[in-house]
Amino acid sequence: MTSPTPFGRIASVFGGAIAMAAAVGAFVLTDVPTARAQVAAKVESQTRPNFGILLDPPARSARGRASSHRRFDYGRHRPDWRPGYPGGRPGGEEVVLVDCGGNPGTGAVEDAVRRVRPGGTLVIRARGGACVGWLNIDKPLTIIGEGGFDPRDWDRNPTPTLTAPDGLPCMTVAQGVRVEIRDMVFASPRAGDAACIVGYGAEIVMNRVGFRHAGDEAAIYVDGGLLDIRNAVIDAQTIAPAIVADGAVLTAWEMVVTGAQSGLELTPGTGQTSRIGSTTLKGTGSPNAFGPRSIGVVVRSAREYGRVEIDNTAIVGYVEGVAVEGASVQIQGSRIGRSDKGVVLYNGELRLSDSRIRASTVGVAAASGHAVIVNNVFSGVREVIYAENRATVEADGNRVWSQYLCRAQFRDRYRGRYEPYWRPGQGWECMYGSYPQNWWEDEDGLLGLPYQDDGYQLDGYRDYQSGRGWYTREGTYVRDDRYEGDQRWRGGGFFDRR
């Protein structure tokens, strides 16, 4: 019987030691308390507050508008609706012509958008009836209506080129996308709480376009980006503003807005000036009994101080013509009529010049901020300028036609013979005579209202100006042909009348 060699015993012991070391190493690597400590550290690092961000929040322009809360979310509003864009696949055709023939639900117009390559052109033909669909634009595109559109022929009720499905928009434009639209007529007769055109950080350029919108929201809603609309007619039957531009740069020229309880709501963006020129905004002409205030143009404030310029624009039929809430607004060569308050400055800066304001109570009301009011015409007002303690107003060269403010006062000139005179206001003076009828036609006349003279008429004043007669203390005209000119103040006396 042989015994094991020393080398075998050594190998056996060495192998067992290796196995034991490996087991111990594996146990150390998978130690449960260590893993839990790592997870706890990771959670703590994610939940630790960043006080730098809290003390210095990012500016509005720095945050992504796509990730912020949106006023409209059609995916949640109508989850059953699927326009059908497989993965955003770009098309390959330069020009695509589509004739939908008024057949809803076919998806022809949506498919046509998908076929156009980025930067291409979509031509919509509506000979057989308007296309019915929702254009979801996620690439640069030009959209043209084949039939053309002339804003001067709007009263002929042109056939719509594109009609939105019930409760859905006519078109949405994705962030960073530029779309140009020409010769199109959009219709959203049963929009509900959807806008007809919606853009988020997009560039929407429209020329020769028309809108027939009926719903609870605006006809055009843009959040950031740019909206350039020219030669357009917007008939928006809604209690909301016809156009809402939130943080966007707006350019409107030769545009007519009717039907909406409010005209435009702007929160001007930074970097550029929003401009409204040669535009007509026509409200309902009566105070609203419910919903938001009836305002022609309301300019709201944002973190960045925006600027809006309004030129050669008519704003009639709103309770407040223009309301400024914390921005810089310049109004020049414009007309505000059929209003309760012409311009209201809640805060910010206002410059009103070379314009005509017709209001039933106040021409310009300033709660706070700074206002410059020069060379304007006010009519029908009970008070030309009202300013609270927090507001500073500079006024000069303004003229007023008002039966309430412009009543003559009388002072004794010679032995009971009185002459009329008018006391000037602060930065304004009264005008005698009738309010020019051609001015009225460009203001309240746009609403089809008959002419109403706001001027103050003093009995016998024309004869008095020609040098004949005088007035009593009560303002009764006394005609006397014996003395003319300055002779009436020197010849005869109170008891020498005929």
Side-chain angles (χ1 to χ4, degrees):
M1 180 175 180
T2 61
S3 60
T5 62
F7 294 101
R9 294 175 182 175
I10 293 174
S12 176
V13 173
F14 184 76
I18 293 176
M20 182 178 295
V24 172
F27 178 80
V28 171
L29 293 176
T30 59
D31 188 12
V32 175
T34 303
R36 290 178 179 174
Q38 293 175 350
V39 173
K42 181 178 180 181
V43 172
E44 193 273 338
S45 66
Q46 293 176 347
T47 58
R48 182 190 301 120
N50 189 336
F51 291 99
I53 294 180
L54 295 176
L55 295 176
D56 188 14
R60 176 173 183 166
S61 58
R63 66 178 177 89
R65 292 188 177 272
S67 61
S68 63
H69 173 70
R70 293 178 174 179
R71 182 168 176 170
F72 303 98
D73 190 344
Y74 297 106
R76 296 181 181 178
H77 175 62
R78 286 287 300 273
D80 58 322
W81 180 266
R82 294 291 183 270
Y85 291 90
R89 183 183 63 199
E93 301 183 38
E94 177 70 26
V95 180
V96 175
L97 171 65
V98 59
D99 190 346
C100 305
N103 296 323
T106 61
V109 68
E110 290 90 350
D111 181 70
V113 172
R114 187 166 57 248
R115 288 159 47 196
V116 181
R117 73 168 183 84
T121 301
L122 172 64
V123 181
I124 299 179
R125 176 185 295 168
R127 295 180 182 177
C131 292
V132 179
W134 168 16
L135 303 183
N136 190 9
I137 310 300
D138 57 357
K139 54 190 171 184
L141 206 64
T142 299
I143 302 175
I144 302 175
E146 188 193 49
F149 174 72
D150 188 351
R152 295 170 296 182
D153 294 336
W154 179 254
D155 294 335
R156 302 167 111 183
N157 298 318
T159 302
T161 309
L162 178 70
T163 300
D166 293 352
L168 291 172
C170 307
M171 182 176 68
T172 53
V173 185
Q175 184 173 4
V177 174
R178 178 183 176 89
V179 58
E180 298 184 14
I181 307 166
R182 298 196 301 270
D183 298 315
M184 289 282 295
V185 179
F186 295 93
S188 46
R190 291 173 292 275
D193 58 356
C196 185
I197 302 292
V198 182
Y200 297 107
E203 295 185 7
I204 303 176
V205 180
M206 293 184 282
N207 190 10
R208 298 190 303 273
V209 293
F211 291 87
R212 294 191 181 277
H213 175 76
D216 299 329
E217 285 294 347
I220 302 175
Y221 176 83
V222 290
D223 185 356
L226 177 145
L227 174 62
D228 190 314
I229 180 169
R230 303 166 187 256
N231 301 297
V233 179
I234 302 176
D235 182 9
Q237 303 298 323
T238 174
I239 62 173
I243 297 178
V244 175
D246 186 4
V249 177
L250 171 68
T251 299
W253 186 82
E254 287 285 354
M255 180 178 67
V256 177
V257 176
T258 61
Q261 184 167 290
S262 296
L264 308 178
E265 180 181 318
L266 311 178
T267 304
T270 58
Q272 298 185 33
T273 301
S274 294
R275 292 181 172 86
I276 304 171
S278 301
T279 291
T280 300
L281 307 176
K282 294 192 290 186
T284 58
S286 60
N288 54 304
F290 65 94
R293 292 176 299 163
S294 174
I295 306 176
V297 177
V298 54
V299 182
R300 303 193 184 278
S301 62
R303 290 192 58 174
E304 299 86 0
Y305 200 67
R307 179 174 175 81
V308 176
E309 294 181 357
I310 302 175
D311 180 62
N312 190 27
T313 293
I315 305 171
V316 295
Y318 302 96
V319 175
E320 297 179 11
V322 178
V324 182
E325 301 178 358
S328 176
V329 177
Q330 175 179 306
I331 305 173
Q332 182 177 9
S334 298
R335 306 172 302 280
I336 298 175
R338 192 65 177 182
S339 62
D340 183 52
K341 303 179 185 68
V343 182
V344 182
L345 177 64
Y346 293 97
N347 194 12
E349 299 177 355
L350 168 69
R351 180 176 179 83
L352 177 66
S353 62
D354 302 310
S355 299
R356 299 199 301 265
I357 312 296
R358 185 178 185 276
S360 59
T361 57
V362 183
V364 176
S368 65
H370 180 70
V372 178
I373 307 168
V374 293
N375 302 328
N376 301 287
V377 171
F378 295 90
S379 62
V381 294
R382 294 179 180 266
E383 190 169 3
V384 180
I385 301 171
Y386 169 79
E388 296 185 358
N389 296 331
R390 296 180 299 167
T392 58
V393 176
E394 300 177 29
D396 183 60
N398 300 290
R399 298 174 291 165
V400 178
W401 275 263
S402 173
Q403 297 181 6
Y404 305 98
L405 294 177
C406 295
R407 291 191 173 274
Q409 295 180 330
F410 301 91
R411 57 191 172 194
D412 192 357
R413 180 73 180 269
Y414 174 78
R415 292 189 177 182
R417 301 178 182 182
Y418 287 79
E419 65 175 355
Y421 72 99
W422 287 264
R423 290 180 179 176
Q426 296 182 352
W428 55 270
E429 62 177 343
C430 283
M431 297 288 104
Y432 172 78
S434 299
Y435 188 74
Q437 190 167 354
N438 60 330
W439 289 1
W440 171 276
E441 294 174 354
D442 292 336
E443 298 160 6
D444 291 25
L446 295 175
L447 299 175
L449 299 174
Y451 171 71
Q452 178 180 344
D453 188 6
D454 293 319
Y456 172 72
Q457 301 289 342
L458 180 61
D459 182 44
Y461 187 66
R462 293 190 181 277
D463 290 336
Y464 172 84
Q465 284 185 309
S466 64
R468 295 189 297 272
W470 58 85
Y471 288 89
T472 66
R473 177 186 295 178
E474 293 76 18
T476 302
Y477 175 68
V478 179
R479 184 183 178 89
D480 190 343
D481 295 331
R482 291 180 304 171
Y483 307 101
E484 295 186 1
D486 291 339
Q487 292 296 325
R488 57 184 164 177
W489 309 124
R490 294 193 293 266
F494 181 80
F495 299 100
D496 295 331
R497 304 178 194 166
R498 292 182 179 179

